[in-house]
Amino acid sequence: MKIDKKQVGIRIHELRTQNNWSMEELANKIKASGKSTINEWEKGRTIPSKKFLEQLAKIFTVSTDYLNFGSFPQYVTKLLENAIDTEDERSWYLSKLFYLKNNAKYRPSTLLQGLEKLNKLEDVDDDNQKWALRELMELQPKLLSKLISSYIDELVQYLKSNNTNYDDNRILEFSNNFFKNKVFEQYSSFAGALKDVKLKLNDTYMTLAFKSDDEELNKIFRHGKNLDQKETLKQLEKSLTISPEQEDLLTEKYFTRLLVSYMAEFNDELNELYFKFLRIKKNNHQK
C-alpha cells in the first residue's frame, strides 16, 4: 500500500507528544539536523529516510511498518476497503459476505452499473436514481467498514498465524480465504440460505419489473391479476390500435408481468417462513 505522508507525520507527532519530547529533543535523540526536520515530517511534507525511520521505531518501541502504515488492524481494514473499491478479485468473498449480510441494493457496484459514475449525479435525470446513488455513497462505505470491523480481531489473529505481516498480496490472499469460510458458514444456516434466495429473487424481480413496464398493463394490473391472456389483450385493444408485432410484444410483457407478480407472492411467502423460523427459535430459547 502507498505510504501516506500525512498519516506518518501524525503518528510521529502522537508518539513524540506521548513521550513528552519537544521536536528539538527528538531531533537530538536520533541525530537529525534539527527540529525543522521533525516539523517537516509531522506536517507530512516529507517522510523519514530508512535510517531515521529505523531510529524512530527503536526509540518509540514500535515497528517501522507501524510508522509507515499504522496498526496492523488499521492497515488490513484500509487494504480490504481499497480492494473492494478497485474490485480486486481477492476481495470476492468479502463482497459476497457483504451482499449476504446487507440488503441487495447496498451490494458493491450493483447499483452503479447502468447509472454511470457516482461523481456525475447531474447526468442522472431520474430523481429516484439520484436518491439511490446518494444513499449508496453514504451507506455503502459505512456498512462495509462495520462489516470488516465485526471480523477484524478474528481476521488479524488468522493473518498473524499465517505470518502475513504487512505483505499486501499475502494479506489479500489469506483474507479472501478467511471470508470464503465465513460465506460458507452463512450458506450452511437456514437464515443465510434464505437470504441468498431472497436477494437473487430480488435481482431478477427488479430486472423483469422494468422489462414488463407498460402504461396499459399497469392500468389492468392495478385491478388485480388477469390470468386470461385473450381477455387482457381485448382490454388493451379497446384503448390501442396495435399491429401483430405490437400484440406479440404486449403478450410478452403481460406474461413477464405475471411472472413478476408470482415472484412477489413467493417473496411474501419466504418472509412468512422466515418470521415463523424466528418465532420458533425465540420460543425454544425461552423454554
Side-chain angles (χ1 to χ4, degrees):
M1 190 187 301
K2 187 177 179 181
I3 296 174
D4 186 326
K5 291 190 290 186
K6 286 189 176 180
Q7 290 302 314
V8 172
I10 290 172
R11 283 188 283 275
I12 292 174
H13 173 77
E14 288 177 346
L15 290 166
R16 177 179 64 79
T17 54
Q18 285 171 13
N19 284 276
N20 295 316
W21 296 335
S22 67
M23 289 185 185
E24 190 169 353
E25 286 175 323
L26 178 57
N28 292 334
K29 288 178 182 294
I30 61 173
K31 296 181 171 55
S33 57
K35 67 177 184 180
S36 60
T37 300
I38 308 300
N39 185 58
E40 288 293 295
W41 294 342
E42 293 190 2
K43 295 293 185 184
R45 299 191 185 104
T46 62
I47 57 175
S49 65
K50 182 180 178 181
K51 170 191 170 183
F52 283 126
L53 196 67
E54 290 174 349
Q55 290 179 330
L56 287 169
K58 185 177 180 179
I59 65 168
F60 288 140
T61 63
V62 297
S63 68
T64 55
D65 282 327
Y66 174 80
L67 289 173
N68 278 330
F69 304 111
S71 70
F72 191 58
Q74 290 173 334
Y75 185 80
V76 171
T77 299
K78 186 65 176 176
L79 189 63
L80 291 174
E81 290 173 345
N82 288 343
I84 289 288
D85 288 341
T86 59
E87 298 184 351
D88 189 303
E89 62 181 10
R90 293 166 297 182
S91 67
W92 193 90
Y93 282 106
L94 174 57
S95 291
K96 183 66 175 177
L97 188 63
F98 183 87
Y99 167 63
L100 286 170
K101 285 185 170 289
N102 296 284
N103 189 294
K105 65 182 178 179
Y106 300 132
R107 182 172 38 169
S109 303
T110 298
L111 189 59
L112 308 185
Q113 294 170 2
L115 298 179
E116 300 306 328
K117 304 296 183 182
L118 275 173
N119 60 351
K120 293 185 178 179
L121 285 176
E122 65 272 13
D123 294 341
V124 180
D125 296 326
D126 188 276
D127 287 339
N128 288 330
Q129 288 183 357
K130 286 184 179 180
W131 177 85
L133 281 170
R134 289 195 180 96
E135 183 183 43
L136 180 69
M137 283 190 290
E138 292 175 2
L139 287 178
Q140 195 253 323
K142 294 178 183 177
L143 291 171
L144 179 60
S145 179
K146 183 178 180 181
L147 174 65
I148 295 173
S149 177
S150 67
Y151 287 102
I152 194 64
D153 291 341
E154 186 181 354
L155 174 59
V156 164
Q157 186 176 0
Y158 174 73
L159 294 174
K160 287 183 176 179
S161 69
N162 286 282
N163 300 313
T164 61
N165 299 316
Y166 282 71
D167 185 316
D168 289 8
N169 289 326
R170 286 178 60 79
I171 290 173
L172 289 174
E173 287 168 8
F174 280 99
S175 292
N176 200 38
N177 189 58
F178 173 87
F179 287 114
K180 177 181 178 180
N181 293 331
K182 296 303 176 184
V183 167
F184 287 166
E185 287 176 11
Q186 286 286 308
Y187 280 127
S188 66
S189 68
F190 166 77
L194 180 64
K195 180 172 282 191
D196 189 51
V197 170
K198 283 175 56 63
L199 291 175
K200 288 176 180 175
L201 185 69
N202 183 65
D203 280 349
T204 306
Y205 176 90
M206 296 302 293
T207 301
L208 293 180
F210 176 77
K211 181 180 178 182
S212 62
D213 185 48
D214 183 274
E215 185 176 348
E216 295 303 320
L217 279 177
N218 290 342
K219 291 178 183 177
I220 293 170
F221 272 81
R222 284 194 196 104
H223 303 291
K225 288 185 303 183
N226 190 328
L227 301 180
D228 188 328
Q229 175 203 355
K230 291 183 180 179
E231 180 63 28
T232 300
L233 293 179
K234 282 181 181 179
Q235 292 186 47
L236 291 172
E237 288 169 1
K238 288 179 183 178
S239 55
L240 290 173
T241 302
I242 59 175
S243 65
E245 292 78 11
Q246 290 173 313
E247 184 174 331
D248 286 344
L249 179 60
L250 283 172
T251 301
E252 170 74 21
K253 286 187 174 183
Y254 172 70
F255 278 98
T256 302
R257 179 62 70 85
L258 278 180
L259 177 58
V260 167
S261 64
Y262 291 145
M263 291 172 70
E265 289 181 356
F266 180 51
N267 186 63
D268 290 340
E269 291 177 5
L270 290 178
N271 287 334
E272 290 180 12
L273 183 65
Y274 182 61
F275 290 132
K276 183 178 181 180
F277 168 74
L278 292 179
R279 285 196 299 270
I280 292 176
K281 279 192 68 176
K282 184 178 179 180
N283 290 336
N284 290 342
H285 292 158
Q286 290 176 345
K287 289 179 180 178

